[in-house]
Amino acid sequence: MNRRLALEFARVTEAAALAAARWMGRGNKNAADEAATEAMRAMFDSIHMDGTVVIGEGEMDEAPMLYIGERVGTGEEPQLDIAVDPLEGTNLVAKGLAGSIAVMAIADRGCLLHAPDMYMDKIVVGPRAAGRISLDAPVEDNLRNVADALGKDVEDLTVVILDRPRHQALIHSVRAAGARIHLIGDGDVAPAVATAFPDSGIDIMMGIGGAPEGVIAAAAIRCLGGEMQGRLWPENEQEEARCRTMGLDDPRKLLTMDDLVQGHGVVFAATGITDGSLLKGVKFTAEGAHTHTLVIRGRTGTVRFINALHRLDKKPFFGLGRQGCTNPEFEA
């Protein structure tokens, strides 16, 4: 996967972010997600690759596009697996809250875990704390080891956790150990990736979130030299059976980086929709629309932050044109 393709993927997440941003604060999360999905799918048609969606909007009978197994791109080499979340944080966009992104991970064929749509228990740290965490260790031990690796006191650590009832025991343990907690309402991909950036203010992410989002985050963490461990969290026999049909004989197996993402032919791309700890959101001005995108190449370790200005174009905007809205589309 070459440098040119990595930048092409930035155009894909930019298109999705621009489309979703038009719905920011309008209270309609489904419309925002549909707009982002439609824009991302359309942009894929211009990418010279033979891509297969392995993590997407659902099964073929659940999603009209970007469904699992869908072929995207022009059909040319290289053959790639694609994991997408056109709008991570649908509630965040609908309510105008911080932290939503359009995101995707790309890897050589067969190198991404085909994670079923269920929960995953996760722990994520950046490169300085890699090798110092274990999902099976007590919370206090993980915090002490990470603090030691970062040259901090435990009291100075910031832990990101989804604000959910299922995390009450985890929250209690983190506070008892003395660390600080940043609770988030939705969207754990960006905070997971932020652990690898010292100036993000996030040291570690813990807790149970979406398994597909876990694989996407793991792609970025692998590129950046950090560490993530996960364990699927099936809630019933049907979900356990689904794990096995997808090749996971032990649904409760501890998943390491090599289980989640293999090899170095990995690219991660994300564009901010609303402002967050990692990326700025889309800003509409008289000049056009400003986007902030992160692109990471695993093979070289290159990290690019791209500030782009998208000029006005008079075509209907993705997701709004069908409703007779005259809002312009910005060329991605």
Side-chain angles (χ1 to χ4, degrees):
M1 215 179 333
N2 59 34
R3 183 182 304 108
R4 178 189 59 79
L5 267 180
L7 295 177
E8 289 293 298
F9 295 137
R11 296 175 59 239
V12 174
T13 58
E14 285 172 350
L18 288 164
R22 281 295 189 185
W23 290 96
M24 192 276 287
R26 297 180 186 269
N28 192 335
K29 67 177 185 178
N30 292 331
D33 187 53
E34 182 181 350
T37 302
E38 195 173 309
M40 180 175 276
R41 180 63 184 84
M43 191 58 68
F44 269 130
D45 286 339
S46 67
I47 308 296
H48 292 278
M49 65 173 182
D50 179 6
T52 300
V53 176
V54 297
I55 291 175
E57 293 294 279
E59 302 291 346
M60 185 184 302
D61 58 351
E62 298 172 349
M65 60 184 70
L66 295 181
Y67 53 82
I68 297 170
E70 183 177 10
R71 302 288 287 274
V72 296
T74 61
E76 306 168 47
E77 294 288 338
Q79 293 186 335
L80 303 173
D81 280 351
I82 312 291
V84 300
D85 195 342
L87 173 46
E88 219 247 332
T90 54
N91 286 319
L92 301 178
V93 170
K95 297 177 182 179
L97 299 176
S100 62
I101 60 174
V103 62
M104 60 186 294
I106 309 94
D108 294 330
R109 186 65 50 85
C111 290
L112 292 178
L113 176 70
H114 296 191
D117 188 10
M118 63 180 63
Y119 285 132
M120 176 187 284
D121 195 7
K122 315 169 192 176
I123 183 169
V124 189
V125 292
R128 290 182 60 188
R132 303 295 300 274
I133 58 170
S134 170
L135 199 58
D136 291 329
V139 170
E140 297 80 1
D141 290 356
N142 279 313
L143 294 176
R144 185 169 55 251
N145 290 337
V146 171
D148 181 65
L150 299 180
K152 294 183 175 185
D153 294 328
V154 171
E155 290 76 11
D156 295 327
L157 292 179
T158 299
V159 184
V160 167
I161 303 173
L162 278 166
D163 189 5
R164 298 288 188 273
R166 62 179 178 266
H167 288 147
Q168 287 308 303
L170 172 61
I171 291 169
H172 175 77
S173 295
V174 171
R175 287 176 173 162
R180 303 179 302 166
I181 295 177
H182 176 46
L183 292 174
I184 57 173
D186 289 286
D188 64 359
V189 173
V193 178
T195 62
F197 293 88
D199 59 351
S200 71
I202 298 173
D203 300 302
I204 182 170
M205 194 196 80
M206 307 174 79
I208 299 169
E213 291 83 357
V215 175
I216 294 174
I221 293 299
R222 185 173 189 90
C223 292
L224 294 166
E227 184 178 4
M228 175 176 172
Q229 294 182 11
R231 178 177 283 114
L232 293 174
W233 199 265
E235 296 185 282
N236 51 52
E237 292 183 0
Q238 289 76 17
E239 289 191 349
E240 290 203 7
R242 179 159 169 73
C243 290
R244 294 187 177 93
T245 61
M246 297 184 75
L248 299 169
D249 294 333
D250 180 6
R252 303 285 182 174
K253 174 187 175 182
L254 177 66
L255 301 171
T256 65
M257 291 299 300
D258 287 336
D259 295 310
L260 297 165
V261 183
Q262 298 176 23
H264 298 288
V266 183
V267 172
F268 173 90
T271 301
I273 301 173
T274 56
D275 287 343
S277 58
L278 185 64
L279 292 164
K280 299 175 184 176
V282 176
K283 302 292 188 300
F284 295 104
T285 69
E287 299 173 297
H290 296 260
T291 58
H292 190 210
T293 299
L294 168 64
V295 181
I296 312 169
R297 286 187 70 205
R299 197 168 300 283
T300 61
T302 303
V303 178
R304 287 183 173 89
F305 283 96
I306 302 171
N307 290 298
L309 169 62
H310 306 263
R311 298 291 184 179
L312 289 171
D313 183 17
K314 297 304 181 182
K315 294 178 290 185
F317 201 80
F318 286 115
L320 292 177
R322 295 190 311 279
Q323 301 174 24
C325 181
T326 58
N327 286 339
E329 177 187 347
F330 293 92
E331 186 64 51

